[in-house]
Amino acid sequence: MNHLLGFFLLAISVSLSLAYDVSHFYVCSTDYVKKERNFLCQVSKFNMNVSLPPKADEFFNCCMETSDWMSRSNKALLVDQLAKDMKKYGFDNRSAIEKVGIDCRREMGSKINGRGYLLCFLTDRRTSKGFKNMLKKKEGEFFTKQSYCKSS
């Protein structure tokens, strides 16, 4: 019985560790915009200023919410989780993350959403390099492994 319990706990921990490596951007893209190849190509190259397909806002919100970087209820930036994820990939400046988030929310007001936060973190000099680096590593399935830019 103890061996069975041990095996069960091991299986759960392995499945949880595998789930952590899931690319939220990739999963969200298959849920909302999988046929929008040009859009996905541009986003995977960090070009967020592209014409938006019908479900683009849902895609960006899904990416931010499933990564636990943005609240589903009020679209608030979840600084603790974003700072934790960025620190894991070499960016250890919580203050910059907070300031960019505050500036972004102030600028966009009630229109803030996942795309807005992504644009802010990708374009602000305080966070751009660290945010891109984190996305390439944490969300590698979407940003580096998929071939959205190749014609099918």
Side-chain angles (χ1 to χ4, degrees), residues 80-146:
D80 289 340
Q81 186 61 45
L82 181 56
K84 179 181 171 187
D85 286 347
M86 289 184 71
K87 183 176 181 178
K88 180 178 178 182
Y89 296 101
F91 184 85
D92 191 11
N93 189 340
R94 181 188 172 88
S95 175
I97 294 166
E98 286 179 300
K99 288 175 184 171
V100 171
I102 289 167
D103 291 349
C104 191
R105 184 123 190 165
R106 183 181 309 121
E107 182 181 322
M108 298 191 74
S110 63
K111 294 181 180 176
I112 191 69
N113 61 13
R115 181 172 179 264
Y117 282 125
L118 287 167
L119 281 168
C120 289
F121 283 101
L122 287 169
T123 58
D124 192 285
R125 63 177 174 72
R126 297 170 287 187
T127 56
S128 180
K129 184 177 178 182
F131 194 66
K132 284 180 185 176
N133 184 51
M134 185 260 307
L135 288 176
K136 285 178 189 174
K137 293 176 180 174
K138 183 180 184 303
E139 299 289 335
E141 181 66 28
F142 181 84
F143 286 99
T144 60
K145 294 180 184 169
Q146 291 298 313

Short mmCIF file of all heavy atoms in Angstrom, two decimals, residues 80-146:
data_model
loop_
_atom_site.label_atom_id
_atom_site.label_comp_id
_atom_site.label_asym_id
_atom_site.label_seq_id
_atom_site.Cartn_x
_atom_site.Cartn_y
_atom_site.Cartn_z
N ASP A 80 3.16 40.03 -8.33
CA ASP A 80 3.92 38.98 -7.64
C ASP A 80 4.30 37.84 -8.57
O ASP A 80 5.45 37.42 -8.63
CB ASP A 80 3.14 38.42 -6.44
CG ASP A 80 3.05 39.41 -5.29
OD1 ASP A 80 3.88 40.34 -5.24
OD2 ASP A 80 2.15 39.24 -4.45
N GLN A 81 3.33 37.33 -9.34
CA GLN A 81 3.60 36.20 -10.22
C GLN A 81 4.48 36.60 -11.40
O GLN A 81 5.39 35.88 -11.78
CB GLN A 81 2.30 35.57 -10.73
CG GLN A 81 2.53 34.29 -11.53
CD GLN A 81 3.21 33.19 -10.73
OE1 GLN A 81 2.85 32.93 -9.60
NE2 GLN A 81 4.21 32.55 -11.31
N LEU A 82 4.21 37.76 -11.99
CA LEU A 82 5.03 38.22 -13.10
C LEU A 82 6.48 38.44 -12.65
O LEU A 82 7.42 38.00 -13.33
CB LEU A 82 4.47 39.50 -13.72
CG LEU A 82 5.24 40.07 -14.91
CD1 LEU A 82 5.38 39.04 -16.03
CD2 LEU A 82 4.55 41.33 -15.42
N ALA A 83 6.66 39.06 -11.49
CA ALA A 83 8.01 39.28 -10.97
C ALA A 83 8.71 37.95 -10.69
O ALA A 83 9.90 37.79 -10.98
CB ALA A 83 7.96 40.13 -9.71
N LYS A 84 7.96 36.99 -10.14
CA LYS A 84 8.52 35.66 -9.86
C LYS A 84 8.96 34.98 -11.15
O LYS A 84 10.06 34.42 -11.23
CB LYS A 84 7.46 34.81 -9.14
CG LYS A 84 7.90 33.41 -8.82
CD LYS A 84 6.78 32.65 -8.13
CE LYS A 84 7.09 31.18 -8.00
NZ LYS A 84 5.95 30.43 -7.48
N ASP A 85 8.11 35.03 -12.18
CA ASP A 85 8.46 34.40 -13.46
C ASP A 85 9.64 35.09 -14.12
O ASP A 85 10.54 34.43 -14.65
CB ASP A 85 7.26 34.40 -14.40
CG ASP A 85 6.21 33.37 -14.02
OD1 ASP A 85 6.50 32.50 -13.17
OD2 ASP A 85 5.08 33.44 -14.56
N MET A 86 9.65 36.41 -14.09
CA MET A 86 10.76 37.13 -14.72
C MET A 86 12.07 36.90 -13.97
O MET A 86 13.13 36.76 -14.59
CB MET A 86 10.43 38.61 -14.86
CG MET A 86 9.36 38.85 -15.93
SD MET A 86 8.98 40.57 -16.25
CE MET A 86 10.47 41.11 -17.09
N LYS A 87 12.01 36.83 -12.65
CA LYS A 87 13.21 36.57 -11.86
C LYS A 87 13.80 35.20 -12.20
O LYS A 87 15.01 35.04 -12.32
CB LYS A 87 12.89 36.65 -10.36
CG LYS A 87 14.10 36.47 -9.48
CD LYS A 87 13.76 36.64 -8.02
CE LYS A 87 15.00 36.49 -7.16
NZ LYS A 87 14.69 36.70 -5.74
N LYS A 88 12.92 34.23 -12.40
CA LYS A 88 13.37 32.88 -12.75
C LYS A 88 14.20 32.88 -14.04
O LYS A 88 15.08 32.05 -14.22
CB LYS A 88 12.16 31.95 -12.91
CG LYS A 88 12.50 30.54 -13.26
CD LYS A 88 11.27 29.66 -13.36
CE LYS A 88 11.66 28.25 -13.76
NZ LYS A 88 10.51 27.37 -13.92
N TYR A 89 13.91 33.83 -14.92
CA TYR A 89 14.62 33.90 -16.20
C TYR A 89 15.59 35.07 -16.28
O TYR A 89 15.93 35.55 -17.35
CB TYR A 89 13.60 33.93 -17.35
CG TYR A 89 12.81 32.65 -17.40
CD1 TYR A 89 11.52 32.59 -16.88
CD2 TYR A 89 13.37 31.49 -17.92
CE1 TYR A 89 10.80 31.41 -16.89
CE2 TYR A 89 12.66 30.31 -17.94
CZ TYR A 89 11.38 30.26 -17.43
OH TYR A 89 10.68 29.08 -17.44
N GLY A 90 16.03 35.56 -15.11
CA GLY A 90 17.15 36.50 -15.07
C GLY A 90 16.82 37.97 -14.93
O GLY A 90 17.71 38.80 -14.92
N PHE A 91 15.55 38.34 -14.81
CA PHE A 91 15.20 39.75 -14.63
C PHE A 91 14.70 39.93 -13.22
O PHE A 91 13.60 39.51 -12.87
CB PHE A 91 14.11 40.16 -15.64
CG PHE A 91 13.78 41.63 -15.58
CD1 PHE A 91 14.53 42.54 -16.31
CD2 PHE A 91 12.72 42.10 -14.82
CE1 PHE A 91 14.24 43.90 -16.28
CE2 PHE A 91 12.42 43.45 -14.78
CZ PHE A 91 13.18 44.35 -15.51
N ASP A 92 15.49 40.58 -12.39
CA ASP A 92 15.16 40.72 -10.97
C ASP A 92 14.98 42.19 -10.63
O ASP A 92 15.80 42.78 -9.93
CB ASP A 92 16.25 40.07 -10.13
CG ASP A 92 15.85 39.94 -8.67
OD1 ASP A 92 14.67 40.17 -8.35
OD2 ASP A 92 16.72 39.64 -7.84
N ASN A 93 13.92 42.80 -11.16
CA ASN A 93 13.66 44.21 -10.88
C ASN A 93 12.16 44.41 -10.69
O ASN A 93 11.47 44.90 -11.58
CB ASN A 93 14.20 45.10 -12.00
CG ASN A 93 14.16 46.57 -11.65
OD1 ASN A 93 13.42 46.99 -10.76
ND2 ASN A 93 14.95 47.36 -12.35
N ARG A 94 11.68 44.00 -9.54
CA ARG A 94 10.26 44.09 -9.23
C ARG A 94 9.75 45.53 -9.32
O ARG A 94 8.65 45.79 -9.78
CB ARG A 94 9.99 43.53 -7.83
CG ARG A 94 8.53 43.58 -7.44
CD ARG A 94 8.32 43.19 -5.98
NE ARG A 94 6.96 43.44 -5.61
CZ ARG A 94 5.97 42.57 -5.75
NH1 ARG A 94 6.21 41.38 -6.25
NH2 ARG A 94 4.74 42.89 -5.41
N SER A 95 10.58 46.47 -8.91
CA SER A 95 10.20 47.88 -8.93
C SER A 95 9.88 48.34 -10.36
O SER A 95 8.89 49.03 -10.59
CB SER A 95 11.33 48.73 -8.35
OG SER A 95 11.04 50.10 -8.48
N ALA A 96 10.69 47.94 -11.33
CA ALA A 96 10.44 48.30 -12.73
C ALA A 96 9.14 47.68 -13.22
O ALA A 96 8.36 48.34 -13.91
CB ALA A 96 11.61 47.86 -13.61
N ILE A 97 8.89 46.44 -12.83
CA ILE A 97 7.65 45.76 -13.24
C ILE A 97 6.44 46.51 -12.68
O ILE A 97 5.47 46.77 -13.40
CB ILE A 97 7.66 44.29 -12.77
CG1 ILE A 97 8.77 43.52 -13.50
CG2 ILE A 97 6.30 43.63 -12.98
CD1 ILE A 97 9.09 42.16 -12.90
N GLU A 98 6.51 46.87 -11.40
CA GLU A 98 5.41 47.61 -10.77
C GLU A 98 5.19 48.96 -11.46
O GLU A 98 4.04 49.32 -11.76
CB GLU A 98 5.69 47.84 -9.29
CG GLU A 98 5.52 46.60 -8.45
CD GLU A 98 5.83 46.84 -6.98
OE1 GLU A 98 6.96 47.24 -6.67
OE2 GLU A 98 4.91 46.63 -6.18
N LYS A 99 6.27 49.68 -11.71
CA LYS A 99 6.14 51.02 -12.31
C LYS A 99 5.58 50.94 -13.72
O LYS A 99 4.72 51.75 -14.09
CB LYS A 99 7.50 51.72 -12.30
CG LYS A 99 7.91 52.17 -10.92
CD LYS A 99 9.31 52.76 -10.91
CE LYS A 99 9.70 53.10 -9.48
NZ LYS A 99 11.11 53.49 -9.38
N VAL A 100 6.04 50.00 -14.52
CA VAL A 100 5.53 49.86 -15.88
C VAL A 100 4.05 49.49 -15.83
O VAL A 100 3.23 50.02 -16.59
CB VAL A 100 6.34 48.82 -16.69
CG1 VAL A 100 5.67 48.51 -18.02
CG2 VAL A 100 7.76 49.34 -16.92
N GLY A 101 3.69 48.58 -14.93
CA GLY A 101 2.28 48.20 -14.78
C GLY A 101 1.40 49.37 -14.38
O GLY A 101 0.31 49.57 -14.94
N ILE A 102 1.86 50.17 -13.44
CA ILE A 102 1.10 51.35 -12.99
C ILE A 102 0.96 52.36 -14.13
O ILE A 102 -0.13 52.88 -14.39
CB ILE A 102 1.77 51.99 -11.75
CG1 ILE A 102 1.58 51.08 -10.53
CG2 ILE A 102 1.21 53.37 -11.48
CD1 ILE A 102 2.45 51.45 -9.34
N ASP A 103 2.07 52.63 -14.81
CA ASP A 103 2.04 53.58 -15.93
C ASP A 103 1.09 53.09 -17.02
O ASP A 103 0.32 53.87 -17.59
CB ASP A 103 3.43 53.78 -16.52
CG ASP A 103 4.39 54.50 -15.59
OD1 ASP A 103 3.93 55.05 -14.56
OD2 ASP A 103 5.61 54.52 -15.89
N CYS A 104 1.13 51.82 -17.29
CA CYS A 104 0.30 51.22 -18.34
C CYS A 104 -1.18 51.35 -17.98
O CYS A 104 -2.00 51.77 -18.80
CB CYS A 104 0.69 49.76 -18.51
SG CYS A 104 -0.01 48.96 -19.96
N ARG A 105 -1.51 51.00 -16.76
CA ARG A 105 -2.90 51.07 -16.31
C ARG A 105 -3.39 52.53 -16.31
O ARG A 105 -4.53 52.80 -16.69
CB ARG A 105 -3.04 50.45 -14.92
CG ARG A 105 -4.46 50.41 -14.43
CD ARG A 105 -4.88 49.03 -14.10
NE ARG A 105 -6.32 49.00 -13.86
CZ ARG A 105 -7.01 47.93 -13.83
NH1 ARG A 105 -6.43 46.78 -14.03
NH2 ARG A 105 -8.29 47.96 -13.60
N ARG A 106 -2.54 53.44 -15.90
CA ARG A 106 -2.90 54.86 -15.89
C ARG A 106 -3.17 55.35 -17.31
O ARG A 106 -4.13 56.06 -17.57
CB ARG A 106 -1.80 55.70 -15.25
CG ARG A 106 -2.15 57.17 -15.13
CD ARG A 106 -1.04 58.03 -14.51
NE ARG A 106 -0.55 57.50 -13.25
CZ ARG A 106 0.72 57.15 -13.02
NH1 ARG A 106 1.63 57.28 -13.95
NH2 ARG A 106 1.09 56.69 -11.84
N GLU A 107 -2.32 54.94 -18.24
CA GLU A 107 -2.45 55.37 -19.63
C GLU A 107 -3.70 54.78 -20.31
O GLU A 107 -4.40 55.47 -21.03
CB GLU A 107 -1.20 54.96 -20.42
CG GLU A 107 -1.21 55.40 -21.86
CD GLU A 107 0.04 54.96 -22.61
OE1 GLU A 107 1.14 55.00 -22.02
OE2 GLU A 107 -0.10 54.57 -23.77
N MET A 108 -3.98 53.53 -20.05
CA MET A 108 -5.08 52.86 -20.75
C MET A 108 -6.42 52.91 -19.99
O MET A 108 -7.46 52.67 -20.58
CB MET A 108 -4.71 51.40 -21.04
CG MET A 108 -3.50 51.30 -21.96
SD MET A 108 -3.24 49.66 -22.57
CE MET A 108 -4.57 49.55 -23.75
N GLY A 109 -6.33 53.18 -18.70
CA GLY A 109 -7.55 53.29 -17.90
C GLY A 109 -8.41 52.03 -17.94
O GLY A 109 -7.91 50.91 -17.86
N SER A 110 -9.70 52.22 -18.13
CA SER A 110 -10.64 51.09 -18.11
C SER A 110 -10.50 50.20 -19.34
O SER A 110 -11.06 49.11 -19.38
CB SER A 110 -12.08 51.60 -18.00
OG SER A 110 -12.40 52.36 -19.14
N LYS A 111 -9.74 50.62 -20.33
CA LYS A 111 -9.54 49.82 -21.55
C LYS A 111 -8.37 48.84 -21.43
O LYS A 111 -8.04 48.14 -22.38
CB LYS A 111 -9.34 50.72 -22.76
CG LYS A 111 -10.56 51.53 -23.08
CD LYS A 111 -10.34 52.40 -24.29
CE LYS A 111 -11.62 53.19 -24.56
NZ LYS A 111 -11.46 54.12 -25.66
N ILE A 112 -7.73 48.80 -20.26
CA ILE A 112 -6.59 47.92 -20.07
C ILE A 112 -7.00 46.47 -20.32
O ILE A 112 -8.09 46.05 -19.96
CB ILE A 112 -5.95 48.09 -18.66
CG1 ILE A 112 -4.60 47.37 -18.58
CG2 ILE A 112 -6.88 47.57 -17.56
CD1 ILE A 112 -3.53 48.01 -19.39
N ASN A 113 -6.11 45.74 -20.97
CA ASN A 113 -6.35 44.32 -21.23
C ASN A 113 -5.00 43.62 -21.41
O ASN A 113 -3.95 44.24 -21.26
CB ASN A 113 -7.27 44.12 -22.44
CG ASN A 113 -6.69 44.68 -23.73
OD1 ASN A 113 -5.52 45.01 -23.82
ND2 ASN A 113 -7.54 44.80 -24.74
N GLY A 114 -5.04 42.35 -21.76
CA GLY A 114 -3.82 41.58 -21.91
C GLY A 114 -2.88 42.16 -22.96
O GLY A 114 -1.67 42.25 -22.75
N ARG A 115 -3.44 42.56 -24.10
CA ARG A 115 -2.61 43.14 -25.16
C ARG A 115 -1.96 44.43 -24.67
O ARG A 115 -0.79 44.70 -24.96
CB ARG A 115 -3.44 43.41 -26.40
CG ARG A 115 -2.63 44.00 -27.54
CD ARG A 115 -3.47 44.06 -28.83
NE ARG A 115 -2.70 44.63 -29.90
CZ ARG A 115 -2.74 45.92 -30.26
NH1 ARG A 115 -3.54 46.75 -29.63
NH2 ARG A 115 -2.00 46.35 -31.26
N GLY A 116 -2.70 45.24 -23.93
CA GLY A 116 -2.15 46.49 -23.41
C GLY A 116 -0.94 46.25 -22.53
O GLY A 116 0.09 46.91 -22.68
N TYR A 117 -1.08 45.31 -21.59
CA TYR A 117 0.05 45.00 -20.72
C TYR A 117 1.24 44.47 -21.53
O TYR A 117 2.40 44.87 -21.29
CB TYR A 117 -0.34 43.98 -19.66
CG TYR A 117 -1.12 44.55 -18.50
CD1 TYR A 117 -2.36 44.01 -18.15
CD2 TYR A 117 -0.63 45.61 -17.73
CE1 TYR A 117 -3.09 44.52 -17.08
CE2 TYR A 117 -1.36 46.12 -16.66
CZ TYR A 117 -2.58 45.57 -16.34
OH TYR A 117 -3.30 46.07 -15.29
N LEU A 118 0.98 43.57 -22.46
CA LEU A 118 2.07 43.03 -23.26
C LEU A 118 2.79 44.14 -24.02
O LEU A 118 4.03 44.19 -24.04
CB LEU A 118 1.55 41.97 -24.24
CG LEU A 118 1.15 40.65 -23.61
CD1 LEU A 118 0.35 39.80 -24.59
CD2 LEU A 118 2.38 39.89 -23.13
N LEU A 119 2.03 45.03 -24.63
CA LEU A 119 2.65 46.16 -25.34
C LEU A 119 3.51 47.00 -24.40
O LEU A 119 4.63 47.38 -24.75
CB LEU A 119 1.57 47.04 -25.97
CG LEU A 119 0.97 46.54 -27.28
CD1 LEU A 119 -0.28 47.34 -27.63
CD2 LEU A 119 2.00 46.64 -28.39
N CYS A 120 2.98 47.29 -23.23
CA CYS A 120 3.74 48.10 -22.27
C CYS A 120 5.05 47.43 -21.87
O CYS A 120 6.11 48.07 -21.88
CB CYS A 120 2.89 48.37 -21.02
SG CYS A 120 1.53 49.52 -21.31
N PHE A 121 5.00 46.15 -21.52
CA PHE A 121 6.22 45.47 -21.07
C PHE A 121 7.21 45.23 -22.20
O PHE A 121 8.41 45.20 -21.97
CB PHE A 121 5.87 44.16 -20.35
CG PHE A 121 5.37 44.40 -18.96
CD1 PHE A 121 4.01 44.34 -18.67
CD2 PHE A 121 6.24 44.73 -17.93
CE1 PHE A 121 3.54 44.61 -17.40
CE2 PHE A 121 5.78 44.99 -16.65
CZ PHE A 121 4.43 44.94 -16.39
N LEU A 122 6.70 45.09 -23.42
CA LEU A 122 7.59 44.88 -24.55
C LEU A 122 8.22 46.17 -25.06
O LEU A 122 9.29 46.13 -25.67
CB LEU A 122 6.84 44.19 -25.70
CG LEU A 122 6.52 42.72 -25.47
CD1 LEU A 122 5.54 42.21 -26.52
CD2 LEU A 122 7.80 41.88 -25.46
N THR A 123 7.58 47.30 -24.83
CA THR A 123 8.11 48.55 -25.38
C THR A 123 8.80 49.44 -24.36
O THR A 123 9.58 50.31 -24.75
CB THR A 123 6.98 49.36 -26.07
OG1 THR A 123 5.95 49.63 -25.12
CG2 THR A 123 6.42 48.60 -27.26
N ASP A 124 8.53 49.26 -23.08
CA ASP A 124 9.16 50.11 -22.07
C ASP A 124 10.62 49.70 -21.89
O ASP A 124 10.94 48.53 -21.68
CB ASP A 124 8.40 50.00 -20.75
CG ASP A 124 8.84 51.07 -19.77
OD1 ASP A 124 9.95 50.94 -19.20
OD2 ASP A 124 8.07 52.03 -19.58
N ARG A 125 11.50 50.67 -21.94
CA ARG A 125 12.95 50.40 -21.85
C ARG A 125 13.33 49.72 -20.54
O ARG A 125 14.34 49.03 -20.47
CB ARG A 125 13.76 51.66 -22.06
CG ARG A 125 13.51 52.72 -21.01
CD ARG A 125 14.39 53.96 -21.18
NE ARG A 125 14.03 54.99 -20.25
CZ ARG A 125 14.28 54.95 -18.93
NH1 ARG A 125 14.89 53.91 -18.41
NH2 ARG A 125 13.92 55.95 -18.15
N ARG A 126 12.54 49.91 -19.49
CA ARG A 126 12.86 49.32 -18.19
C ARG A 126 12.64 47.81 -18.16
O ARG A 126 13.23 47.10 -17.34
CB ARG A 126 12.03 49.98 -17.08
CG ARG A 126 12.31 51.46 -16.89
CD ARG A 126 11.32 52.12 -15.98
NE ARG A 126 10.02 52.26 -16.65
CZ ARG A 126 8.99 52.92 -16.16
NH1 ARG A 126 9.08 53.50 -14.97
NH2 ARG A 126 7.86 53.00 -16.83
N THR A 127 11.75 47.31 -19.02
CA THR A 127 11.38 45.89 -18.95
C THR A 127 11.52 45.15 -20.27
O THR A 127 11.47 43.91 -20.29
CB THR A 127 9.92 45.74 -18.48
OG1 THR A 127 9.07 46.49 -19.36
CG2 THR A 127 9.75 46.20 -17.04
N SER A 128 11.66 45.83 -21.37
CA SER A 128 11.58 45.21 -22.70
C SER A 128 12.52 44.01 -22.85
O SER A 128 12.08 42.91 -23.22
CB SER A 128 11.88 46.25 -23.78
OG SER A 128 11.81 45.65 -25.05
N LYS A 129 13.77 44.19 -22.60
CA LYS A 129 14.75 43.12 -22.81
C LYS A 129 14.46 41.92 -21.90
O LYS A 129 14.44 40.77 -22.35
CB LYS A 129 16.17 43.64 -22.56
CG LYS A 129 17.25 42.64 -22.85
CD LYS A 129 18.63 43.24 -22.65
CE LYS A 129 19.71 42.21 -22.88
NZ LYS A 129 21.05 42.75 -22.64
N GLY A 130 14.23 42.17 -20.62
CA GLY A 130 13.95 41.08 -19.68
C GLY A 130 12.65 40.37 -19.97
O GLY A 130 12.56 39.14 -19.85
N PHE A 131 11.63 41.11 -20.40
CA PHE A 131 10.33 40.51 -20.70
C PHE A 131 10.42 39.62 -21.94
O PHE A 131 9.94 38.49 -21.95
CB PHE A 131 9.28 41.61 -20.88
CG PHE A 131 7.87 41.11 -20.88
CD1 PHE A 131 7.31 40.56 -19.73
CD2 PHE A 131 7.08 41.21 -22.01
CE1 PHE A 131 5.99 40.11 -19.73
CE2 PHE A 131 5.77 40.77 -22.02
CZ PHE A 131 5.23 40.21 -20.88
N LYS A 132 11.09 40.11 -22.98
CA LYS A 132 11.28 39.30 -24.19
C LYS A 132 12.07 38.03 -23.88
O LYS A 132 11.72 36.94 -24.35
CB LYS A 132 12.00 40.10 -25.27
CG LYS A 132 11.14 41.10 -25.96
CD LYS A 132 11.95 41.86 -27.01
CE LYS A 132 11.13 42.95 -27.64
NZ LYS A 132 11.90 43.76 -28.59
N ASN A 133 13.12 38.17 -23.11
CA ASN A 133 13.95 37.02 -22.75
C ASN A 133 13.13 35.99 -22.00
O ASN A 133 13.20 34.79 -22.27
CB ASN A 133 15.15 37.48 -21.93
CG ASN A 133 16.09 36.35 -21.61
OD1 ASN A 133 16.51 35.62 -22.49
ND2 ASN A 133 16.42 36.20 -20.34
N MET A 134 12.33 36.44 -21.04
CA MET A 134 11.48 35.53 -20.27
C MET A 134 10.47 34.84 -21.18
O MET A 134 10.28 33.62 -21.10
CB MET A 134 10.76 36.29 -19.17
CG MET A 134 9.95 35.43 -18.22
SD MET A 134 8.17 35.38 -18.51
CE MET A 134 7.66 37.06 -18.55
N LEU A 135 9.84 35.58 -22.09
CA LEU A 135 8.85 34.98 -22.98
C LEU A 135 9.49 33.94 -23.89
O LEU A 135 8.92 32.87 -24.11
CB LEU A 135 8.15 36.05 -23.82
CG LEU A 135 7.16 36.93 -23.08
CD1 LEU A 135 6.62 38.02 -24.03
CD2 LEU A 135 6.01 36.13 -22.50
N LYS A 136 10.67 34.22 -24.42
CA LYS A 136 11.35 33.26 -25.29
C LYS A 136 11.63 31.94 -24.56
O LYS A 136 11.55 30.87 -25.15
CB LYS A 136 12.67 33.83 -25.80
CG LYS A 136 12.50 34.87 -26.87
CD LYS A 136 13.88 35.39 -27.27
CE LYS A 136 13.79 36.58 -28.19
NZ LYS A 136 15.12 37.15 -28.46
N LYS A 137 11.95 32.03 -23.28
CA LYS A 137 12.28 30.83 -22.52
C LYS A 137 11.04 30.16 -21.93
O LYS A 137 10.83 28.97 -22.11
CB LYS A 137 13.28 31.17 -21.42
CG LYS A 137 14.63 31.57 -21.98
CD LYS A 137 15.59 32.01 -20.91
CE LYS A 137 16.92 32.41 -21.52
NZ LYS A 137 17.83 32.98 -20.53
N LYS A 138 10.22 30.92 -21.25
CA LYS A 138 9.04 30.35 -20.59
C LYS A 138 7.98 29.92 -21.59
O LYS A 138 7.31 28.93 -21.41
CB LYS A 138 8.44 31.37 -19.61
CG LYS A 138 7.25 30.85 -18.83
CD LYS A 138 6.70 31.90 -17.89
CE LYS A 138 5.57 31.37 -17.03
NZ LYS A 138 4.47 30.83 -17.78
N GLU A 139 7.84 30.69 -22.65
CA GLU A 139 6.83 30.43 -23.68
C GLU A 139 7.48 30.00 -24.99
O GLU A 139 7.03 30.35 -26.07
CB GLU A 139 5.98 31.69 -23.88
CG GLU A 139 5.24 32.15 -22.66
CD GLU A 139 4.09 31.23 -22.28
OE1 GLU A 139 3.56 30.53 -23.16
OE2 GLU A 139 3.73 31.19 -21.08
N GLY A 140 8.55 29.21 -24.87
CA GLY A 140 9.33 28.80 -26.03
C GLY A 140 8.53 28.09 -27.11
O GLY A 140 8.81 28.25 -28.29
N GLU A 141 7.54 27.31 -26.70
CA GLU A 141 6.71 26.60 -27.69
C GLU A 141 6.08 27.59 -28.66
O GLU A 141 5.98 27.32 -29.85
CB GLU A 141 5.63 25.78 -26.99
CG GLU A 141 4.73 24.99 -27.91
CD GLU A 141 5.44 23.87 -28.66
OE1 GLU A 141 6.44 23.33 -28.15
OE2 GLU A 141 4.99 23.54 -29.77
N PHE A 142 5.68 28.73 -28.17
CA PHE A 142 5.04 29.74 -29.03
C PHE A 142 6.07 30.64 -29.72
O PHE A 142 6.00 30.86 -30.92
CB PHE A 142 4.07 30.61 -28.22
CG PHE A 142 3.37 31.65 -29.04
CD1 PHE A 142 2.24 31.33 -29.76
CD2 PHE A 142 3.86 32.95 -29.11
CE1 PHE A 142 1.60 32.29 -30.55
CE2 PHE A 142 3.23 33.91 -29.90
CZ PHE A 142 2.10 33.58 -30.62
N PHE A 143 7.02 31.17 -28.96
CA PHE A 143 7.92 32.19 -29.49
C PHE A 143 9.11 31.65 -30.26
O PHE A 143 9.70 32.38 -31.05
CB PHE A 143 8.40 33.12 -28.37
CG PHE A 143 7.33 34.07 -27.92
CD1 PHE A 143 6.59 33.81 -26.78
CD2 PHE A 143 7.04 35.22 -28.64
CE1 PHE A 143 5.58 34.67 -26.36
CE2 PHE A 143 6.03 36.08 -28.24
CZ PHE A 143 5.31 35.81 -27.10
N THR A 144 9.51 30.40 -30.05
CA THR A 144 10.70 29.91 -30.75
C THR A 144 10.50 28.60 -31.51
O THR A 144 11.18 28.36 -32.50
CB THR A 144 11.88 29.74 -29.78
OG1 THR A 144 11.52 28.79 -28.77
CG2 THR A 144 12.27 31.05 -29.13
N LYS A 145 9.58 27.75 -31.08
CA LYS A 145 9.47 26.43 -31.69
C LYS A 145 8.45 26.34 -32.82
O LYS A 145 8.60 25.52 -33.72
CB LYS A 145 9.14 25.38 -30.63
CG LYS A 145 10.26 25.18 -29.63
CD LYS A 145 9.92 24.15 -28.61
CE LYS A 145 11.03 24.05 -27.57
NZ LYS A 145 10.62 23.25 -26.42
N GLN A 146 7.42 27.14 -32.78
CA GLN A 146 6.40 27.08 -33.82
C GLN A 146 6.88 27.82 -35.07
O GLN A 146 7.69 28.72 -34.99
CB GLN A 146 5.08 27.69 -33.33
CG GLN A 146 4.40 26.85 -32.27
CD GLN A 146 4.01 25.47 -32.78
OE1 GLN A 146 3.44 25.32 -33.84
NE2 GLN A 146 4.34 24.46 -32.00
#
